[in-house]
């Protein structure tokens, strides 16, 4: 494979990987926020067998926005999976798979920066984020062997 064609495939793979990572990070944040707005499931909600469908629908309106966020998070996961299948077409697995770790970094930082999550960045979390980024860089800094 020529260098230009290989570089083009590689660029496309990294573009799809970026889309997948962003979508999966958004999915995590949406689902975390949505679940945080719902009451604990066991003590407050009756078992589904104890309520009929109309009663269940009456219980949902106050939770419409959180449930929509959770559904949007699941949808983002589905789109992320579609992007990931494209990544696997364009990049070798040993380069593609470590890129998913970037989502850990993005979610951690977003949970600290976005006020509605209220999380803090401790020295241990900072070190963990830096080690993840270092690992990704080490894997991608090594030249890829061509056969």
């Amino acid at each position: 494979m020529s260098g230009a064609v290989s570089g083009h495939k590689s660029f496309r793979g990294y573009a799809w990987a970026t889309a997948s990572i962003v979508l999966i990070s958004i999915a995590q944040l949406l689902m975390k926020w949505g679940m945080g707005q719902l009451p604990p499931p066991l003590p407050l909600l009756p078992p589904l067998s104890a309520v009929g469908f109309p009663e269940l629908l009456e219980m949902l309106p106050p939770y419409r926005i959180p449930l929509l966020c959770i559904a949007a998070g699941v949808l983002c996961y589905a789109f992320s999976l579609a992007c990931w299948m494209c990544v696997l077409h364009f990049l070798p697995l040993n380069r593609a798979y470590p890129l998913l770790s970037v989502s850990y970094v993005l979610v951690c930082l977003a949970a600290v920066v976005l006020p509605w999550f209220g999380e803090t960045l401790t020295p241990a979390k900072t070190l963990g984020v830096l080690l993840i980024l270092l690992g990704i860089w080490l894997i991608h800094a090594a030249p890829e062997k061509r056969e």
Side-chain angles (χ1 to χ4, degrees), residues 49-112:
S49 60
V51 293
F53 191 70
E55 291 86 4
L56 181 63
L57 289 178
E58 287 177 21
M59 294 167 46
L60 294 181
Y63 306 112
R64 193 173 296 135
I65 299 299
L67 291 172
L68 283 173
C69 283
I70 294 166
V74 172
L75 190 61
C76 284
Y77 261 119
F79 287 137
S80 175
L81 176 62
C83 292
W84 189 250
M85 289 189 288
C86 293
V87 171
L88 296 177
H89 178 75
F90 292 112
L91 292 178
L93 188 59
N94 66 351
R95 292 213 173 236
Y97 195 64
L99 292 173
L100 288 177
S101 300
V102 173
S103 69
Y104 301 139
V105 173
L106 292 178
V107 170
C108 178
L109 295 176
V112 170

Side-chain angles (χ1 to χ4, degrees), residues 16-50:
W16 282 113
T18 300
S20 180
I21 291 163
V22 168
L23 284 167
I24 206 163
S25 299
I26 291 170
Q28 283 295 318
L29 295 167
L30 285 169
M31 291 190 301
K32 171 62 178 164
W33 183 85
M35 289 304 297
Q37 305 308 304
L38 298 178
L42 296 177
L44 297 180
L45 294 178
L48 289 179
S49 60

